[in-house]
Amino acid sequence: MSIAIKEKESLLEGASLVAPSSANRVSHIPSRYNVKVQDESGQWIVYNSFSGAVGAIPKEKEAEILPLLEDGGQGSLSGEAKTLIERGFLIKQGTDELRRVALMKQRRQSAKDLHLILMPTEECNFRCVYCYESFARGAMKPGVRQGVKNLAARLVPKLEAMGVSWFGGEPLREMGIVEELSMSLINSCREHGVSYSANMTTNGYYLNAENLRKLLACEVRSFQITLDGCPEQHDAMRVLKGGGATFDRIWGNLKVARQIQERFSIKIRVNFNQQTLEQLSPFLSLLHSELKGDERFSLFFRPVGNWGGANDGNFQVCDKKPGEESTFEASRTAIRQGLRSDMVYPFLRPHGSVCYAANPKSFVIGADGTLYKCTVALENENNKVGCLLPDGTMDLNQDRYALWVTSDDSDDPVCQSCFFRPPCQGSACPLVRIESGKRPCPPEKKMIKKSLITTWENFKAFGKLGEVGTRISRD
Ligand code: SF4
Ligand code: SF4
């Protein structure tokens, strides 16, 4: 079953309900994956987590649509009811939705794609106060680079798509390795008609015009760059390895990127604490002054936490729940100030909240050839699932590997009956389930009302629910 999701229209506006014909008595019932919430104005926003459809009910249509969402309808339905059927809010009576979600997971797990998270170096030119990395390994060794190329040569003929995420350390410290591996992987994919895409998490310090052009030639078209608020706030958190400010250089690079007339997207990540929130408005005004109207730029927010680094406890962090709440409120503030903040919807789409660590065909390849599943717990023994050999063979510890790809909803009856199961599948963070045995419910589910209001406000302001096809780390 393929699901069409039209994002560019107000999903429920502009249609009318036609009385059912007695000739056709097929019954439609509400999907178990429907959610409806009211925003501050009283408008209903509706969401179906199986199809990923999001829409708002116009006031004048409430009397027609709300009963349909409660009770379904009979006969040959048209108008509003037809729209509800097309978007998955109403389903044919007898549809086994639970089994369809199980099938959805099976299809994800057997998809012919490969996702490699490559660390061309584990060294970094920054020493951010909250960083959890150890910088123990430098540039990727020649034997590992050969292993990556051979791995691709062996697997690409069996694939439909390959995605690469450049990660580090700071990947742009080793631009030559990024180019060398990109060209090899792209050529393998071209030879076999396999689609190739790439993104990069970078601190942005070396993302000057020359490097940006080289990266675009390497098909790296999506970037995540962090700015932690106004210059003085950012510079207190994100400092050079030997000490020194970083905001001006990154900001200069963003301004230059704006002048380059090519297709790419830059997602500005804002790690925030209470101080950042107090200065949010001037920071957003600064961003707006340079980036307004350029839809290649967007921003999203993450609360600063004690992430396991050497400085934990020595800087201001957000408590978990207020921090998660502020994530959505900060996005709404940005949208009101004319800045796209569309990174909530990708987590609401089918499979959207499943962490890449749960994907059987996703691997992190460290600079020394160690294979990991999770990009956060790099020193955790369970996360060291194997080793990439120079001939491209993956020497896997099957028990450790299995931990990551099977710690999901399979044996969890609460997950199996959860309204958010299609996006999450119990796998929003396998690390949490492995370490604590607890369900890793993501903030987009726990705060579904805020998620939907933020998503809808972004749609109203910018005509898009959110970026599709983007995989970003929640961390
Ligand atoms: S969501 Fe959890 S498992 Fe996935 S990368 Fe983050 S910490 Fe690791
Ligand atoms: S982990 Fe939480 S959100 Fe995810 S499927 Fe299970 S109960 Fe639902």
Side-chain angles (χ1 to χ4, degrees):
M1 178 184 171
S2 72
I3 299 157
I5 304 161
K6 290 193 181 166
E7 292 184 25
K8 296 204 168 175
E9 52 192 89
S10 172
L11 299 175
L12 302 177
E13 285 168 3
S16 62
L17 182 68
V18 174
S21 145
S22 56
N24 183 345
R25 306 304 299 171
V26 176
S27 293
H28 285 84
I29 57 168
S31 164
R32 66 185 295 132
Y33 298 115
N34 288 347
V35 178
K36 67 182 198 311
V37 302
Q38 266 179 306
D39 68 12
E40 290 89 346
S41 74
Q43 182 175 41
W44 286 102
I45 299 168
V46 290
Y47 162 58
N48 182 274
S49 71
F50 186 91
S51 68
V54 178
I57 305 177
K59 271 266 168 263
E60 66 279 10
K61 304 271 183 176
E62 281 183 1
E64 296 170 12
I65 294 173
L66 289 176
L68 283 166
L69 285 173
E70 281 304 313
D71 306 321
Q74 282 218 331
S76 76
L77 300 172
S78 55
E80 304 292 3
K82 199 159 166 252
T83 307
L84 292 172
I85 293 168
E86 284 166 3
R87 306 291 150 82
F89 292 100
L90 294 182
I91 54 168
K92 273 190 191 157
Q93 193 157 38
T95 304
D96 189 342
E97 288 192 288
L98 294 179
R99 213 168 269 283
R100 287 194 187 197
V101 176
L103 180 63
M104 175 188 268
K105 183 172 85 175
Q106 219 169 61
R107 286 191 172 142
R108 169 177 64 77
Q109 290 179 324
S110 58
K112 291 180 178 171
D113 56 10
L114 178 68
H115 177 216
L116 297 180
I117 302 172
L118 299 177
M119 302 172 87
T121 178
E122 296 186 34
E123 180 51 282
C124 187
N125 56 322
F126 281 24
R127 287 296 181 269
C128 304
V129 295
Y130 44 63
C131 188
Y132 55 83
E133 294 204 29
S134 67
F135 316 108
R137 295 159 289 268
M140 187 177 267
K141 297 178 178 40
V144 180
R145 277 139 54 194
Q146 196 54 48
V148 173
K149 294 175 197 171
N150 287 336
L151 174 74
R154 189 165 57 80
L155 295 183
V156 161
K158 301 173 202 155
L159 299 178
E160 286 171 2
M162 179 169 190
V164 168
S165 299
W166 296 101
F167 194 69
E170 169 48 45
L172 291 182
R173 278 177 71 97
E174 294 295 343
M175 186 69 212
I177 296 180
V178 173
E179 287 185 290
E180 175 194 331
L181 292 181
S182 294
M183 289 311 156
S184 173
L185 299 176
I186 289 168
N187 286 339
S188 287
C189 287
R190 278 201 188 126
E191 202 181 317
H192 296 279
V194 172
S195 81
Y196 178 89
S197 60
N199 57 57
M200 178 176 277
T201 302
T202 166
N203 59 39
Y205 197 80
Y206 299 123
L207 195 66
N208 53 27
E210 185 190 347
N211 278 339
L212 179 55
R213 288 204 169 89
K214 284 182 183 172
L215 290 165
L216 293 172
C218 291
E219 292 300 337
V220 185
R221 297 198 176 269
S222 174
F223 301 88
Q224 180 183 311
I225 293 175
T226 302
L227 281 180
D228 285 354
C230 288
E232 58 283 6
Q233 290 178 323
H234 172 98
D235 287 336
M237 301 296 266
R238 297 182 67 80
V239 288
L240 286 171
K241 183 179 175 185
T246 60
F247 185 94
D248 286 349
R249 174 88 169 251
I250 301 168
W251 186 238
N253 287 341
L254 287 173
K255 289 203 273 189
V256 169
R258 183 156 186 198
Q259 305 310 317
I260 293 178
Q261 302 300 314
E262 285 213 47
R263 177 177 58 84
F264 60 82
S265 71
I266 293 184
K267 292 168 237 323
I268 299 170
R269 171 181 174 138
V270 184
N271 294 320
F272 67 85
N273 57 22
Q274 193 51 40
Q275 285 166 349
T276 328
L277 294 178
E278 283 160 14
Q279 291 289 312
L280 191 58
S281 194
F283 174 56
L284 295 177
S285 297
L286 179 67
L287 291 180
H288 189 255
S289 68
E290 282 298 330
L291 308 178
K292 65 174 176 288
D294 191 332
E295 63 171 35
R296 297 174 300 177
F297 295 85
S298 61
L299 70 165
F300 68 101
F301 299 83
R302 290 290 179 266
V304 171
N306 288 312
W307 291 327
N311 287 323
D312 276 9
N314 295 333
F315 49 88
Q316 193 189 61
V317 298
C318 295
D319 290 335
K320 191 164 171 54
K321 189 158 183 266
E324 288 175 347
E325 282 176 353
S326 299
T327 300
F328 297 103
E329 293 311 323
S331 283
R332 294 182 72 190
T333 306
I335 293 164
R336 280 197 291 271
Q337 287 194 221
L339 292 158
R340 276 177 60 203
S341 189
D342 54 8
M343 294 312 288
V344 177
Y345 183 63
F347 291 101
L348 301 179
R349 303 184 72 230
H351 311 299
S353 280
V354 176
C355 175
Y356 41 68
N359 176 352
K361 260 81 56 73
S362 177
F363 295 92
V364 185
I365 303 181
D368 64 353
T370 304
L371 296 170
Y372 308 89
K373 291 295 286 170
C374 158
T375 47
V376 172
L378 295 174
E379 304 305 325
N380 182 320
E381 289 304 309
N382 278 332
N383 193 22
K384 295 174 185 167
V385 298
C387 175
L388 179 67
L389 305 179
D391 68 359
T393 307
M394 286 178 155
D395 184 8
L396 281 182
N397 177 323
Q398 295 293 341
D399 292 329
R400 287 185 187 169
Y401 171 72
L403 266 182
W404 296 89
V405 299
T406 63
S407 293
D408 57 14
D409 56 7
S410 307
D411 301 317
D412 189 330
V414 175
C415 287
Q416 286 164 14
S417 60
C418 169
F419 78 84
F420 204 67
R421 188 181 177 202
C424 173
Q425 300 166 26
S427 300
C429 178
L431 180 66
V432 164
R433 207 185 275 274
I434 292 166
E435 300 245 288
S436 67
K438 291 186 180 153
R439 251 166 245 116
C441 301
E444 290 77 12
K445 180 239 172 149
K446 289 188 283 185
M447 292 172 209
I448 189 66
K449 180 169 175 170
K450 287 184 187 296
S451 302
L452 292 176
I453 292 173
T454 308
T455 296
W456 191 249
E457 287 180 352
N458 189 76
F459 175 80
K460 293 305 274 183
F462 303 103
K464 273 178 93 175
L465 292 173
E467 192 151 347
V468 175
T470 307
R471 305 290 297 154
I472 62 159
S473 167
R474 183 183 302 285
D475 312 290

